[in-house]
Amino acid sequence: MILPRTALAAIGLAALLLSFVALRPLLPIDETRYLDVAWEMWLSGDHFHLTRNFDPYAHKPPLLFWLINLVWSVTGVAAFPARLVGPAFAVALALATARLGRRLWPGDGGIGVRAIAVLCGFPVFLVYASATMFDTMLALAVVLGAGVLWRIGEGGGGTRDWLAFGAALGFGTYAKGPVVLVHLVPILLAMPLWAPAPPRGTDRLKGFGLAFGFGLALVALWLVPAVVRGSAAYREELLWTQSAARVAGGMAHDRPVWFLPALLPVLLFPWGWSWRLWRGLAQGPGGDPAARMATIWAGSALVLFSLISGKQAHYLMPEYPAVALLAARALAGAGARRGGSLAPLAPVLIGLAALGIAVGLIPAGGDPAGLVPLRAVAVFGVLNLALGFAVWRLPLRTGHVLAGAGVAALAHLLISTTGLRAGHDAGAVAARLAPAADRGLAVSGITYNAEFNFAARLRRPVATPATPAELAAWSAAHPGGLVFGPVGRVPLTVAPETTLRYHGLVWGFWPAGVAAVSVRE
């Protein structure tokens, strides 16, 4: 049963995420790529084999793309409804976290609404929760799995419980792959350290075997047809490269072991900036089985992902519910008091930096064309200063929710009122590409991640000639086509016919007939 205050908190989260989706364009390269994969599934009708730029794409499992296609079957193909899938799972995740909190601490009637409030105060959580990505789905699977493990640890452990745990594993695998094991298996293995009545070791091993087998059977409904009907290269990519090879290193997102610990001040802002909250947390885990489970849940993932070569900040999204539950528990006695935190400092520093940019004291860096008009940057700075003052004056709980949600909301407001929105919106480039799509498109000078395929509704692949000779040959074979790419990187000796700015680069466009005789060897 969803309590009224919990429902109101979830509605507030939904409104916040909906505003973020409305204020910013599809962000390259992840959101644009995933919308293209969903678009190509829509075109092909093949729900087993994913493609990107019409080449096999085995990097991710299919659930997100299935759900986007399901939405499109009702709304028609459009970006906005597709972008609501991730936020919808985020709201479901918040409600599941609240429900888990009430099960972990049945005597604390306000734990659920406080947990949602804490989630609303994490700007990193809000940004990724509003994105068209896989992490909110995976996080929901992890919360559901952790809830089943708690039931088992309280003295459960029947067949139904282990099958439910297997269903959570299967759901997580459909959401983002076998990485769900990294989040849930440490909680299972550490059960003797936190569970009030853990099953015996052999029973736990048999139960996990049953759960793993059931989860694997669920995944096989998609995986077996995909593997049997896929090419050898597709099978290798799907079964090996995107799992074991990612752990071993040498792929994208390789980071040093200290990367995630160094990001913790950002990942945990603003709640992690309160020493009063840290004191409350320190008093919890020792004699509290639920707090021990949540601590192991959050801490084990941080350690394991630090040791795994490939890592990103959003890989820890499934741990935000655990941190939110711990913080919500600590807030039971400290949330109504003021002070005890450095959280007001962050918006103040952001505001001063923005004002410095607006008056020319600080260079904009990155893509200066995005931070115009400067009066919008100045307003952004003033609003951040006002936010910092409000956070300082408010009680800890209210102030920290405002700090995190306010920082995220003001960042989206800045995007929507400056050149940042147009500079990261694929629409203008897509409008330039679409008329030439039937005659052929080729991109050069950059690794192409299908950034424009969905926006231009392309039905044929964009060619990606790797060498000047290949570009010359393609251009000669497609005299009515269009070559495009970052100015200065495309090996052509003539200036582009037109240029557009996108994602921090100036993109040029050349008629293929001109490109065929202008290639620089």
mmCIF file of all heavy atoms in Angstrom, residues 126-148:
data_model
loop_
_atom_site.group_PDB
_atom_site.id
_atom_site.type_symbol
_atom_site.label_atom_id
_atom_site.label_comp_id
_atom_site.label_asym_id
_atom_site.label_seq_id
_atom_site.Cartn_x
_atom_site.Cartn_y
_atom_site.Cartn_z
ATOM 1 N N LEU A 126 19.213 12.538 -9.816
ATOM 2 C CA LEU A 126 18.150 13.168 -10.602
ATOM 3 C C LEU A 126 18.523 13.268 -12.076
ATOM 4 O O LEU A 126 17.681 13.032 -12.954
ATOM 5 C CB LEU A 126 17.851 14.560 -10.051
ATOM 6 C CG LEU A 126 17.234 14.614 -8.648
ATOM 7 C CD1 LEU A 126 17.133 16.055 -8.175
ATOM 8 C CD2 LEU A 126 15.868 13.946 -8.628
ATOM 9 N N VAL A 127 19.768 13.607 -12.362
ATOM 10 C CA VAL A 127 20.194 13.746 -13.755
ATOM 11 C C VAL A 127 20.087 12.411 -14.483
ATOM 12 O O VAL A 127 19.516 12.318 -15.582
ATOM 13 C CB VAL A 127 21.626 14.300 -13.828
ATOM 14 C CG1 VAL A 127 22.179 14.178 -15.250
ATOM 15 C CG2 VAL A 127 21.663 15.751 -13.370
ATOM 16 N N TYR A 128 20.612 11.353 -13.875
ATOM 17 C CA TYR A 128 20.568 10.053 -14.542
ATOM 18 C C TYR A 128 19.169 9.445 -14.508
ATOM 19 O O TYR A 128 18.791 8.696 -15.416
ATOM 20 C CB TYR A 128 21.587 9.101 -13.922
ATOM 21 C CG TYR A 128 23.002 9.435 -14.337
ATOM 22 C CD1 TYR A 128 23.932 9.887 -13.409
ATOM 23 C CD2 TYR A 128 23.399 9.316 -15.660
ATOM 24 C CE1 TYR A 128 25.232 10.215 -13.785
ATOM 25 C CE2 TYR A 128 24.689 9.636 -16.056
ATOM 26 C CZ TYR A 128 25.601 10.089 -15.111
ATOM 27 O OH TYR A 128 26.877 10.416 -15.498
ATOM 28 N N ALA A 129 18.389 9.764 -13.489
ATOM 29 C CA ALA A 129 17.021 9.261 -13.431
ATOM 30 C C ALA A 129 16.149 9.866 -14.512
ATOM 31 O O ALA A 129 15.149 9.265 -14.924
ATOM 32 C CB ALA A 129 16.414 9.547 -12.058
ATOM 33 N N SER A 130 16.507 11.039 -14.997
ATOM 34 C CA SER A 130 15.731 11.686 -16.060
ATOM 35 C C SER A 130 16.249 11.331 -17.449
ATOM 36 O O SER A 130 15.710 11.821 -18.452
ATOM 37 C CB SER A 130 15.770 13.209 -15.884
ATOM 38 O OG SER A 130 17.096 13.707 -16.028
ATOM 39 N N ALA A 131 17.265 10.485 -17.527
ATOM 40 C CA ALA A 131 17.901 10.177 -18.808
ATOM 41 C C ALA A 131 17.342 8.902 -19.419
ATOM 42 O O ALA A 131 16.816 8.028 -18.730
ATOM 43 C CB ALA A 131 19.413 10.033 -18.625
ATOM 44 N N THR A 132 17.463 8.799 -20.730
ATOM 45 C CA THR A 132 17.091 7.578 -21.441
ATOM 46 C C THR A 132 18.283 6.628 -21.382
ATOM 47 O O THR A 132 19.107 6.556 -22.303
ATOM 48 C CB THR A 132 16.705 7.894 -22.899
ATOM 49 O OG1 THR A 132 15.615 8.817 -22.893
ATOM 50 C CG2 THR A 132 16.285 6.629 -23.638
ATOM 51 N N MET A 133 18.366 5.928 -20.261
ATOM 52 C CA MET A 133 19.461 4.999 -20.009
ATOM 53 C C MET A 133 18.901 3.793 -19.259
ATOM 54 O O MET A 133 17.693 3.695 -19.035
ATOM 55 C CB MET A 133 20.594 5.700 -19.244
ATOM 56 C CG MET A 133 21.239 6.826 -20.044
ATOM 57 S SD MET A 133 22.527 7.733 -19.169
ATOM 58 C CE MET A 133 23.848 6.511 -19.138
ATOM 59 N N PHE A 134 19.767 2.895 -18.865
ATOM 60 C CA PHE A 134 19.356 1.602 -18.314
ATOM 61 C C PHE A 134 19.377 1.561 -16.793
ATOM 62 O O PHE A 134 18.922 0.594 -16.184
ATOM 63 C CB PHE A 134 20.295 0.503 -18.844
ATOM 64 C CG PHE A 134 20.491 0.551 -20.323
ATOM 65 C CD1 PHE A 134 21.483 1.343 -20.882
ATOM 66 C CD2 PHE A 134 19.676 -0.173 -21.167
ATOM 67 C CE1 PHE A 134 21.656 1.411 -22.255
ATOM 68 C CE2 PHE A 134 19.834 -0.109 -22.542
ATOM 69 C CZ PHE A 134 20.833 0.685 -23.088
ATOM 70 N N ASP A 135 19.914 2.596 -16.162
ATOM 71 C CA ASP A 135 20.291 2.478 -14.756
ATOM 72 C C ASP A 135 19.109 2.481 -13.802
ATOM 73 O O ASP A 135 19.172 1.846 -12.742
ATOM 74 C CB ASP A 135 21.276 3.601 -14.422
ATOM 75 C CG ASP A 135 22.502 3.541 -15.310
ATOM 76 O OD1 ASP A 135 23.359 2.683 -15.067
ATOM 77 O OD2 ASP A 135 22.573 4.320 -16.274
ATOM 78 N N THR A 136 18.029 3.196 -14.124
ATOM 79 C CA THR A 136 16.887 3.150 -13.213
ATOM 80 C C THR A 136 16.212 1.781 -13.253
ATOM 81 O O THR A 136 15.719 1.299 -12.226
ATOM 82 C CB THR A 136 15.872 4.251 -13.551
ATOM 83 O OG1 THR A 136 15.495 4.161 -14.930
ATOM 84 C CG2 THR A 136 16.457 5.622 -13.279
ATOM 85 N N MET A 137 16.182 1.144 -14.413
ATOM 86 C CA MET A 137 15.628 -0.208 -14.500
ATOM 87 C C MET A 137 16.469 -1.183 -13.677
ATOM 88 O O MET A 137 15.943 -1.997 -12.916
ATOM 89 C CB MET A 137 15.571 -0.663 -15.956
ATOM 90 C CG MET A 137 14.650 0.143 -16.835
ATOM 91 S SD MET A 137 14.412 -0.593 -18.479
ATOM 92 C CE MET A 137 16.089 -0.647 -19.081
ATOM 93 N N LEU A 138 17.795 -1.100 -13.843
ATOM 94 C CA LEU A 138 18.680 -1.971 -13.076
ATOM 95 C C LEU A 138 18.536 -1.710 -11.589
ATOM 96 O O LEU A 138 18.488 -2.641 -10.778
ATOM 97 C CB LEU A 138 20.127 -1.745 -13.516
ATOM 98 C CG LEU A 138 21.197 -2.505 -12.727
ATOM 99 C CD1 LEU A 138 21.016 -4.011 -12.878
ATOM 100 C CD2 LEU A 138 22.596 -2.091 -13.168
ATOM 101 N N ALA A 139 18.459 -0.432 -11.198
ATOM 102 C CA ALA A 139 18.337 -0.097 -9.777
ATOM 103 C C ALA A 139 17.045 -0.655 -9.192
ATOM 104 O O ALA A 139 17.023 -1.129 -8.044
ATOM 105 C CB ALA A 139 18.392 1.420 -9.596
ATOM 106 N N LEU A 140 15.949 -0.630 -9.960
ATOM 107 C CA LEU A 140 14.698 -1.204 -9.476
ATOM 108 C C LEU A 140 14.850 -2.707 -9.268
ATOM 109 O O LEU A 140 14.381 -3.253 -8.254
ATOM 110 C CB LEU A 140 13.576 -0.914 -10.470
ATOM 111 C CG LEU A 140 12.203 -1.493 -10.116
ATOM 112 C CD1 LEU A 140 11.718 -0.990 -8.763
ATOM 113 C CD2 LEU A 140 11.181 -1.173 -11.209
ATOM 114 N N ALA A 141 15.520 -3.385 -10.189
ATOM 115 C CA ALA A 141 15.758 -4.822 -10.026
ATOM 116 C C ALA A 141 16.572 -5.099 -8.766
ATOM 117 O O ALA A 141 16.297 -6.066 -8.034
ATOM 118 C CB ALA A 141 16.481 -5.373 -11.259
ATOM 119 N N VAL A 142 17.561 -4.255 -8.494
ATOM 120 C CA VAL A 142 18.401 -4.452 -7.310
ATOM 121 C C VAL A 142 17.602 -4.232 -6.029
ATOM 122 O O VAL A 142 17.728 -4.995 -5.060
ATOM 123 C CB VAL A 142 19.633 -3.521 -7.372
ATOM 124 C CG1 VAL A 142 20.407 -3.542 -6.057
ATOM 125 C CG2 VAL A 142 20.542 -3.931 -8.529
ATOM 126 N N VAL A 143 16.766 -3.202 -5.995
ATOM 127 C CA VAL A 143 15.936 -2.957 -4.806
ATOM 128 C C VAL A 143 14.990 -4.132 -4.572
ATOM 129 O O VAL A 143 14.822 -4.601 -3.433
ATOM 130 C CB VAL A 143 15.163 -1.637 -4.956
ATOM 131 C CG1 VAL A 143 14.096 -1.501 -3.870
ATOM 132 C CG2 VAL A 143 16.121 -0.455 -4.886
ATOM 133 N N LEU A 144 14.357 -4.630 -5.632
ATOM 134 C CA LEU A 144 13.461 -5.774 -5.483
ATOM 135 C C LEU A 144 14.226 -7.004 -5.003
ATOM 136 O O LEU A 144 13.751 -7.743 -4.130
ATOM 137 C CB LEU A 144 12.764 -6.061 -6.807
ATOM 138 C CG LEU A 144 11.821 -4.954 -7.323
ATOM 139 C CD1 LEU A 144 11.273 -5.327 -8.701
ATOM 140 C CD2 LEU A 144 10.690 -4.696 -6.348
ATOM 141 N N GLY A 145 15.420 -7.217 -5.567
ATOM 142 C CA GLY A 145 16.230 -8.350 -5.129
ATOM 143 C C GLY A 145 16.673 -8.222 -3.686
ATOM 144 O O GLY A 145 16.670 -9.208 -2.926
ATOM 145 N N ALA A 146 17.058 -7.019 -3.275
ATOM 146 C CA ALA A 146 17.468 -6.805 -1.880
ATOM 147 C C ALA A 146 16.294 -7.054 -0.934
ATOM 148 O O ALA A 146 16.476 -7.595 0.169
ATOM 149 C CB ALA A 146 17.996 -5.379 -1.711
ATOM 150 N N GLY A 147 15.087 -6.677 -1.360
ATOM 151 C CA GLY A 147 13.915 -6.943 -0.531
ATOM 152 C C GLY A 147 13.674 -8.429 -0.343
ATOM 153 O O GLY A 147 13.326 -8.880 0.755
ATOM 154 N N VAL A 148 13.864 -9.204 -1.402
ATOM 155 C CA VAL A 148 13.711 -10.656 -1.285
ATOM 156 C C VAL A 148 14.784 -11.226 -0.359
ATOM 157 O O VAL A 148 14.503 -12.094 0.486
ATOM 158 C CB VAL A 148 13.784 -11.310 -2.673
ATOM 159 C CG1 VAL A 148 13.739 -12.835 -2.535
ATOM 160 C CG2 VAL A 148 12.646 -10.836 -3.562
#
